[in-house]
Amino acid sequence: MSSIAAALAAIQATLPSGVSLVAVSKFHPVEALAEAYAAGQRLFGESRVQELAVKVPALPADISWHFIGHLQTNKVRQLIGLRPALIESVDSERLLRAIDAESERAGIVSRVLMQVHVAQEETKFGMTPDEMLGFFADRRFESLKATHICGMMAMASNTDDEARVRADFESVARLRSRILDVAPDLRGFDILSMGMSHDYPLAVAAGANLVRVGSAIFGDRGY
Ligand SMILES: *Cc1c(COP(=O)(O)O)cnc(C)c1O
């Protein structure tokens, strides 16, 4: 078994049923992804449109690609053209509107997650919890024409302080239930994407049903 296949099997063995694994393959060569594919992996995460555009045509068509990086509005058209299965990193209403307009133009419905910022680091992206709650309380999602909001994505603080990481994940799970309280008729708001290589068990414990794991599968990215 390749080390990639072994890592995938080891991680899958720790995930309860109902939790899906996104193999975050950014910065890794197509050969590494092909190895994961051969081991049965079908869900991959990429963070740059340019890189995704190279990898999509180079790999089998039954892969589901998740876009997980910060997306500039001037890249939205190209990304929509690549037909990602899920855009996990919608970090502003402006970006959401751009995705919606471009999806309508392309005649498709895009599936997205709203990214919330709960981590300590200012450098991370996402709406604040208050902004996001307001977005749903004001029912601003109702004017979307070609976008389905399937849930939320978040990153915890980048720290060894387990209590802090756990608190970050739990605050996202609480926000999710508050959103469902203010908009109980939201349909298909089912995905909670949280957790990376070093913290995914804590995310799963807090209720994540999608985890995004890169270096624990493919090794270091060397940056
Ligand atoms: C790179 C990245 C990951 C994976 O990180 P690892 O530490 O390599 O597991 C997960 N989520 C997002 C948003 C990322 O950018």
Side-chain angles (χ1 to χ4, degrees):
M1 213 195 279
S2 77
S3 63
I4 288 175
L8 279 168
I11 293 165
Q12 289 285 9
T14 69
L15 296 178
S17 68
V19 179
S20 300
L21 171 64
V22 178
V24 175
S25 47
K26 63 189 184 195
F27 299 97
H28 290 283
V30 169
E31 293 73 31
L33 282 77
E35 238 176 276
Y37 182 89
Q41 183 68 27
R42 294 294 179 270
L43 204 50
F44 291 85
E46 288 285 337
S47 60
R48 296 187 306 183
V49 176
Q50 221 49 54
E51 192 172 340
L52 185 63
V54 171
K55 287 175 173 173
V56 167
L59 285 150
D62 64 341
I63 287 177
S64 290
W65 296 97
H66 286 198
F67 189 81
I68 63 168
H70 176 59
L71 179 60
Q72 287 162 325
T73 46
N74 64 4
K75 296 276 175 62
V76 167
R77 178 164 299 184
Q78 192 186 3
L79 177 62
I80 297 297
L82 295 167
R83 300 290 189 266
L86 187 65
I87 303 172
E88 296 201 20
S89 43
V90 178
D91 52 19
S92 70
E93 190 169 347
R94 181 167 166 265
L95 177 61
L96 177 66
R97 300 287 166 199
I99 289 169
D100 192 49
E102 199 52 54
S103 303
E104 191 185 19
R105 200 190 67 90
I108 61 164
V109 173
S110 287
R111 299 171 70 248
V112 306
L113 303 182
M114 301 300 290
Q115 182 173 356
V116 60
H117 183 165
V118 292
Q120 296 168 308
E121 297 88 46
E122 293 293 329
T123 51
K124 289 196 170 129
F125 293 99
M127 291 168 89
T128 67
D130 281 347
E131 279 170 350
M132 197 173 292
L133 193 61
F135 172 82
F136 287 101
D138 298 346
R139 307 188 64 80
R140 299 207 291 275
F141 56 89
E142 281 187 334
S143 55
L144 295 170
K145 296 192 175 80
T147 309
H148 181 198
I149 300 176
C150 300
M152 298 166 64
M153 187 271 252
M155 295 166 92
S157 302
N158 185 13
T159 170
D160 292 334
D161 179 359
E162 239 184 56
R164 171 70 205 221
V165 172
R166 197 183 296 275
D168 284 352
F169 288 143
E170 285 171 354
S171 74
V172 178
R174 269 199 310 278
L175 175 63
R176 179 176 184 279
S177 19
R178 288 177 68 198
I179 288 171
L180 289 170
D181 284 345
V182 297
D185 55 331
L186 254 189
R187 280 176 301 108
F189 192 73
D190 299 326
I191 301 178
L192 188 51
S193 173
M194 309 193 291
M196 321 192 338
S197 291
H198 63 285
D199 59 13
Y200 75 84
L202 295 175
V204 169
N209 54 17
L210 192 63
V211 296
R212 309 175 309 271
V213 178
S215 43
I217 298 169
F218 297 107
D220 287 337
R221 289 180 291 271
Y223 68 82

